[in-house]
Amino acid sequence: MQNNNILIMGASLNSGNRGVNALTRGAINGLTLQKEDVSIKLLSFSTRKVINHEVDGNKIEEIPFRFLKSLPLAFLTFIPFFPKGLFRRLVRIYFPKLWEILEWADIVLDISEGDSFSDIYGFKRMLMHSSYKLISSSYGKKIILLPQTIGPFSRNSSKLIARKIFKLSNKVLARDKLSYNLLKSKFNINEDKIGVFPDLAFNMNPSQEFRADSLIFSNKNEIIGINVSGLLYNGGYSKNNMFGFRSDYKELLQEIIEYLIENTEYNILLVPHVITSRGDVEDDITACQNIYALFSQYKNRINIIDQEYREDELKYIISCCKLFVGGRMHACIAAISTNVITIPIAYSRKFIGVWELFGLENMVADPRIQTKTEIIKIVDESIKNSNNILKIIKDKNREFKNQLSDLFGKLLIK
């Protein structure tokens, strides 16, 4: 038998965070390439109503998940020997739509929006992305955690919840060795249950229809893309250096741009990747506009993306760059997966975990421990060593595509 009906949890095609959408498109692409008649539904935090999408001719239903309402049911899963039949009846009574799709699904896959199965963003986010895992697995569904960042878990309560989910899951797949080692050494999970695979966004193709002719500078020089993260620009959700940066993020970006303008002939393109409402703490467009305003005297060398493009359209724009510097994980993955030399500005271990898979961990800029001078040196050395770096990236991207193809092929066979 094969898995025809697939529910993907912690996923969306409607999120302002284009990285979440990119992960989802990557998963959909991987599944539909393996099997034409697969049917896919999404369980999402990014919508309040059912949305019907079409992706490459495939109809995808995105269904909202009510987190707060689900908590009592999720806590029931910690009661030893709670009758499974009663649990299923409670799901049917209090969550009829969730019951309907769990009955429909042959298999449940989980993305956790890439890095939200962790308490790095707070315990509430950890609970959000744990509740649907606990409910679906306790319901009796086969659940696989697709490649994602696992942890860190700083609270004892987070570790307790994570351990329960790992026990209930059929497979727990990491997108980096740090997460894999956490699963193996801290949670003692058997090796046959865990694995390391590339990030799912490596599987999303750039838009084939979109063309960025308006982004071509009159001087025809090559482009360096810079993703300005609204979250980092505003100091995190706390707006008070939430991630413990040693180097001020705004000053760092300003000095990188000044260095590039003064020492290279590259043009600079400011690229958002999380797009919410203007002025919101998360909004990259607002942050890009603020940085752009600092360089009004260089309008012939610097440009800005200030329209709301889809994730696959942004990937095409990013693919036009010679080099990319980004604070958003999936802006950086959009770059490196299209053979663009990429320097992430890290605020968590998830960045170095992915770049280690390329053997390019020395290209990760970490303002938590590095000075602005040290980070600008990374940019300079990346430009100087671009030919060697590019060969490594191209070789690894071919390998990653094959690994993801193998993964999705195996998922569709019971």
Side-chain angles (χ1 to χ4, degrees), residues 172-188:
V172 182
L173 305 178
R175 64 182 179 187
D176 59 79
K177 292 177 182 176
L178 287 168
S179 295
Y180 177 85
N181 291 336
L182 178 73
L183 293 168
K184 186 177 176 181
S185 62
K186 298 296 183 184
F187 290 92
N188 300 314

Side-chain angles (χ1 to χ4, degrees), residues 258-407:
E258 287 173 350
Y259 171 82
L260 292 171
I261 288 174
E262 293 171 4
N263 294 278
T264 76
E265 294 184 352
Y266 291 111
N267 294 316
I268 310 297
L269 181 64
L270 304 179
V271 183
H273 208 258
V274 171
I275 303 170
T276 57
S277 56
R278 299 302 84 83
D280 183 76
V281 67
E282 282 264 33
D283 186 49
D284 290 4
I285 288 183
T286 303
C288 284
Q289 289 170 336
N290 291 339
I291 293 294
Y292 183 64
L294 299 175
F295 294 92
S296 56
Q297 70 273 36
Y298 295 110
K299 292 294 177 65
N300 63 322
R301 296 280 306 279
I302 188 167
N303 204 349
I304 181 174
I305 302 295
D306 55 6
Q307 298 182 54
E308 300 193 8
Y309 292 118
R310 283 197 323 259
E311 53 283 352
D312 54 334
E313 294 172 335
L314 286 171
K315 188 166 186 175
Y316 174 81
I317 292 170
I318 290 169
S319 74
C320 297
C321 298
K322 176 75 172 179
L323 183 135
F324 193 80
V325 180
R328 297 288 188 180
M329 175 74 155
H330 283 98
C332 292
I333 287 179
I336 200 166
S337 65
T338 51
N339 298 324
V340 176
I341 296 165
T342 308
I343 301 163
I345 297 179
Y347 62 86
S348 79
R349 64 174 172 81
K350 65 180 180 178
F351 292 87
I352 198 164
V354 173
W355 263 248
E356 276 182 338
L357 298 180
F358 284 90
L360 296 173
E361 58 270 24
N362 60 323
M363 289 181 63
V364 177
D366 193 340
R368 297 172 300 174
I369 58 175
Q370 292 174 317
T371 64
K372 292 191 289 290
T373 300
E374 290 171 323
I375 291 172
I376 289 172
K377 185 178 179 182
I378 292 174
V379 176
D380 179 62
E381 290 180 348
S382 298
I383 293 172
K384 290 177 179 176
N385 297 321
S386 60
N387 289 337
N388 292 334
I389 295 170
L390 193 57
K391 184 181 184 306
I392 293 170
I393 291 173
K394 288 180 176 179
D395 289 344
K396 277 293 180 181
N397 277 331
R398 284 191 289 269
E399 180 183 325
F400 288 172
K401 282 281 188 181
N402 291 334
Q403 289 177 3
L404 286 172
S405 178
D406 290 344
L407 169 63

